[in-house]
Amino acid sequence: MTAKEKTPASLPHIGILGGGQLGRMLLQAAANYPVIVHVLENEEECPAAHLCHHFTRGDIRDFDSVYNFGKSLDAITIEIENVNVEALEKLETEGVKIYPRPSVLRTIKNKILQKEYYREHQIPTAGFIVTHNLGELEKALDFLPAVHKIGEGGYDGKGVQLLRTKEELSKGFEAPAVLEKMVFIQTEIAQMVAINEKGETALYPPVEMLFDPDLNLLDYQLCPAELSTQALYRVEAIALSVVRNFKSPGIFAVEMFVDKNGDVLVNETAPRVHNSGHHTIEAHYCSQFDMLWRIMLGYPLGNTDAILPSIMVNIIGAEGFSGEVHYQGLEEVLKIDNAFVHLYGKKQTKPGRKMGHVTILSKEKQDLLHKSNKVKRTLLPKT
Ligand code: ADP
């Protein structure tokens, strides 16, 4: 018996590839809609496992696992790009809707193809060349200072290497990669864009991202980003151009740099719900997760306006603690006005692991900064 036969035939069956925190928050939003949700994930104790209607254990990178999971479903979405695109392409030809379309995943999964896509569509992005090995990199001395980015398999800053001097060239990748001109960054921002089957779009206010320089992980993020009106228009126009040219419904996070001259350059795009949209759960009328269900189920796009300005703090595994997690400071943080705690249900903590996030709402930026620092100091995943 297929999964579809087990439940009322009238409800759509939609699958999520990956069962991490993004899948978990998608499932929290799905609970409000008439939909049966399936999750494919290797790890049975993953954050999304107990919230879905049907859990399938399997590798999202494996053709047969993805194909067999998807063939009886109406639609599939992803929470991570590192999935088997060939299986999704076959499923698409057989009539399964994929959000985003597999052609988009193919472009985005590979940083070389992604940068070529921006160039092809005249989307502003840092100048780059492609290198295939260290020998080729050695010859690119006049391109420094630059950033070397591995074509496939990098994530959360792994697979990205700053190269300032000739001596540092040996830190580059012995694999197909992009060598990108170093941008003198003033602000890093992310613009979430939703686009439905009809091509209608909705934009969230851009957020400003601040990174932990040691871990290269997102530290906290402020919404709305502080941008001049001119920069805001540019950001919105560029993000729309990135998304429209993909010709795919879905939700997208377009990450951009505003450089010291005020120019806006696209860094990279995530064709899915994203860390930079977590705050939309409480701070916006329609969250990024709710929005994706609206798109996949054919309902009208939601209201992206902010209810209040917000800040989002990632709760990251504390240095020196590995093992079963115990949260220090949870009660203290829950006492803070308008602080919303999300713990992802991961049993094990380790240094640098994303364990949860906290969103804080306030009219005052100073209040947001003050409270976010308190949260960061207080709520600690330890053992
Ligand atoms: P990942 O996909 O692993 O997150 P990114 O391409 O986003 O990698 O790069 C990680 C970080 O490195 C960025 O957030 C930014 O701070 C820095 N970075 C990336 N590209 C450049 C660049 N061309 N110039 C300066 N800094 C960059």
Side-chain angles (χ1 to χ4, degrees), residues 111 147 149 155-157 160 180-181 183 185 188 267-268:
K111 288 206 174 180
V147 183
K149 300 184 178 181
Y155 65 96
D156 280 349
V160 174
E180 197 176 284
K181 282 271 184 207
V183 177
I185 302 171
E188 285 201 41
N267 177 27
E268 60 176 357

Side-chain angles (χ1 to χ4, degrees), residues 105-335:
L105 279 173
R106 213 171 250 296
T107 303
I108 284 184
K109 259 182 96 167
N110 184 313
K111 288 206 174 180
I112 301 171
L113 297 181
Q114 194 180 149
K115 288 289 279 189
E116 285 170 348
Y117 168 86
Y118 300 137
R119 182 150 68 190
E120 186 190 331
H121 295 282
Q122 282 103 44
I123 289 158
T125 189
F128 69 98
I129 54 171
V130 175
T131 61
H132 297 90
N133 49 51
L134 283 176
E136 282 182 27
L137 184 61
E138 299 283 341
K139 293 190 195 117
L141 205 55
D142 54 355
F143 215 73
L144 302 186
V147 183
H148 207 211
K149 300 184 178 181
I150 200 157
E152 292 210 23
Y155 65 96
D156 280 349
K158 299 179 183 71
V160 174
Q161 188 62 55
L162 300 189
L163 304 175
R164 290 184 197 83
T165 60
K166 186 175 179 221
E167 290 65 43
E168 286 183 330
L169 282 178
S170 59
K171 290 201 230 157
F173 301 104
E174 180 70 289
V178 168
L179 184 67
E180 197 176 284
K181 282 271 184 207
M182 178 144 345
V183 177
F184 295 94
I185 302 171
Q186 177 142 321
T187 320
E188 285 201 41
I189 57 170
Q191 168 74 68
M192 301 273 332
V193 181
I195 181 163
N196 66 13
E197 301 277 356
K198 290 187 227 160
E200 295 164 338
T201 53
L203 282 82
Y204 286 90
V207 301
E208 195 168 325
M209 303 186 290
L210 293 149
F211 290 85
D212 181 318
D214 296 329
L215 290 170
N216 210 355
L217 265 184
L218 186 65
D219 211 9
Y220 67 82
Q221 149 202 293
L222 186 69
C223 181
E226 279 190 8
L227 291 174
S228 65
T229 312
Q230 202 190 0
L232 178 64
Y233 286 154
R234 284 198 59 68
V235 163
E236 290 187 345
I238 291 169
L240 274 175
S241 169
V242 170
V243 170
R244 286 219 171 99
N245 280 300
F246 279 133
K247 299 188 171 38
S248 164
I251 192 148
F252 296 80
V254 185
E255 295 183 33
M256 287 175 257
F257 302 132
V258 182
D259 73 10
K260 302 275 186 209
N261 300 322
D263 288 333
V264 179
L265 302 166
V266 172
N267 177 27
E268 60 176 357
T269 303
R272 53 169 170 82
V273 286
H274 191 250
N275 198 98
S276 61
H278 287 352
H279 65 292
T280 59
I281 296 174
E282 288 92 7
H284 292 251
Y285 291 99
C286 175
S287 77
Q288 61 166 347
F289 303 101
D290 186 78
M291 189 69 96
L292 184 57
W293 290 112
R294 285 168 175 260
I295 293 168
M296 294 195 292
L297 296 169
Y299 297 130
L301 293 176
N303 180 357
T304 54
D305 287 350
I307 299 166
L308 278 176
S310 62
I311 206 160
M312 192 280 295
V313 189
N314 281 313
I315 304 301
I316 292 174
E319 212 46 60
F321 295 89
S322 290
E324 199 174 322
V325 66
H326 291 279
Y327 290 96
Q328 181 183 306
L330 184 55
E331 275 211 39
E332 193 76 7
V333 164
L334 288 167
K335 283 182 199 152

Side-chain angles (χ1 to χ4, degrees), residues 14-26:
I14 298 189
I16 305 173
L17 299 185
Q21 60 266 21
L22 290 162
R24 179 183 178 95
M25 288 181 267
L26 261 173

